[in-house]
Amino acid sequence: MKDVLDAHTHTIVSGHAYNTMTEMMQAAAEKNLELLAITDHAPAMPGSTHPYYFSNSDMIDREYYHEKFGKITRYLIGVELNILPGGDIDLGPKELAKMDVAIASIHPPCYPCGDIVENTRAYLRVMEHPYINIIGHPDDGRFPVHMEALVEGARKHGKVLELNNHSLDSRTTRRGARDIDRGMLLLCKKYGQPVIVNSDAHTDTEIGNHAAAFQLIEETGFPADLVLNTSVSLFLKYTNLSHKNA
Ligand SMILES: [Zn+2]
Ligand SMILES: [Zn+2]
């Protein structure tokens, strides 16, 4: 299956990732990606950055020329928002309007563990937000959800659910992702709902590492035409750029 992009990565700006934007861009070019999204953590994550970082993002070129390979790679500048209790988020409309892509995810420091009803309600409320494109790693067993409601919500609001490769890594702090992801893929297949496979890289070496996720896609017989990684133009239909260019 073709895999030409990675839409969830972090730089040193996130406070617990280890490479600069330039290093991440170089790595993406070396790994032959056509598109990379830089999605640093929004301000509620301890050690992350001020909203000014996001509102000033017009300054960043969206193309990177890699001299060694003589080619241009495309970049999106985005954010990984923290879902807060009740489904609030930690960046305002002014900053979000500048983002090419926005992921919203639950993270332990920013979201006290709710029950399955509270967690599902928070995700569904987030999906109503026009600038949010992707629900990040909804596969963390520490935050149980009604997956069928999530898949239906994503379909209704035109959002994409993420199959996060890091959730399947033995070093992750998330719990039980493999089984939850398997269930998510089967439901997405049933409803014809697309997914995006992302590395969630916190180092340049992890960029484009989607191996475990693609293995699961193969195991579940998940259809290639519902995997947005296969085509940049297909993926771009689900980003904020498509709204801006509409
Ligand atoms: Zn992180
Ligand atoms: Zn995350």
Side-chain angles (χ1 to χ4, degrees):
M1 202 177 289
K2 258 177 91 184
D3 181 15
V4 298
L5 62 101
D6 194 348
H8 182 170
T9 66
H10 298 272
T11 74
I12 48 170
V13 165
S14 282
H16 58 266
Y18 301 93
N19 290 95
T20 63
M21 193 175 283
T22 305
E23 289 165 344
M24 300 296 265
M25 289 176 172
Q26 278 173 356
E30 281 163 14
K31 290 181 181 192
N32 248 327
L33 293 182
E34 292 176 21
L35 180 144
L36 176 77
I38 305 272
T39 53
D40 280 307
H41 286 288
M45 175 64 75
S48 194
T49 188
H50 191 275
Y52 288 171
Y53 172 80
F54 300 99
S55 59
N56 199 35
S57 61
D58 291 345
M59 300 294 116
I60 308 166
D61 285 340
R62 276 19 179 204
E63 286 184 342
Y64 175 79
Y65 178 68
H66 196 293
E67 254 178 57
K68 191 171 146 198
F69 298 106
K71 67 174 185 182
I72 291 170
T73 310
R74 184 169 182 180
Y75 295 91
L76 300 187
I77 303 301
V79 61
E80 185 182 18
L81 298 158
N82 295 290
I83 298 177
L84 305 173
D88 289 331
I89 48 170
D90 56 340
L91 213 53
K94 184 172 147 249
E95 292 83 15
L96 278 170
K98 297 279 186 92
M99 297 288 94
D100 301 333
V101 62
I103 304 170
S105 315
I106 284 183
H107 299 110
C110 307
Y111 185 94
C113 192
D115 62 25
I116 190 164
V117 174
E118 289 162 343
N119 298 339
T120 305
R121 196 181 295 140
Y123 276 118
L124 292 177
R125 190 160 157 242
V126 154
M127 283 183 192
E128 290 173 12
H129 201 295
Y131 286 124
I132 292 172
N133 315 104
I134 299 171
I135 298 298
H137 49 80
D139 56 10
D140 187 344
R142 296 174 299 175
F143 304 96
V145 289
H146 283 300
M147 191 56 82
E148 191 147 12
L150 242 60
V151 174
E152 284 177 347
R155 191 161 169 244
K156 181 178 165 194
H157 295 291
K159 310 301 181 189
V160 182
L161 299 178
E162 178 188 68
L163 179 59
N164 187 297
N165 198 80
H166 178 67
S167 297
L168 301 167
D169 188 313
S170 59
R171 295 168 292 182
T172 191
T173 52
R174 297 172 200 148
R175 290 283 169 268
R178 185 168 299 277
D179 288 343
I180 299 168
D181 282 332
R182 191 173 281 120
M184 179 179 86
L185 288 175
L186 294 174
L187 284 165
C188 285
K189 188 175 164 182
K190 178 179 157 189
Y191 286 98
Q193 171 64 25
V195 299
I196 179 85
V197 174
N198 286 327
S199 67
D200 198 355
H202 285 62
T203 60
D204 58 354
T205 52
E206 283 297 304
I207 285 182
N209 180 5
H210 299 156
F214 270 92
Q215 198 184 324
L216 202 57
I217 278 183
E218 217 177 290
E219 279 171 31
T220 51
F222 193 75
D225 61 349
L226 292 179
V227 180
L228 299 185
N229 301 68
T230 54
S231 154
V232 168
S233 60
L234 187 63
F235 170 68
L236 290 177
K237 286 184 189 163
Y238 288 89
T239 66
N240 293 335
L241 298 173
S242 64
H243 309 314
K244 287 172 193 167
N245 296 334

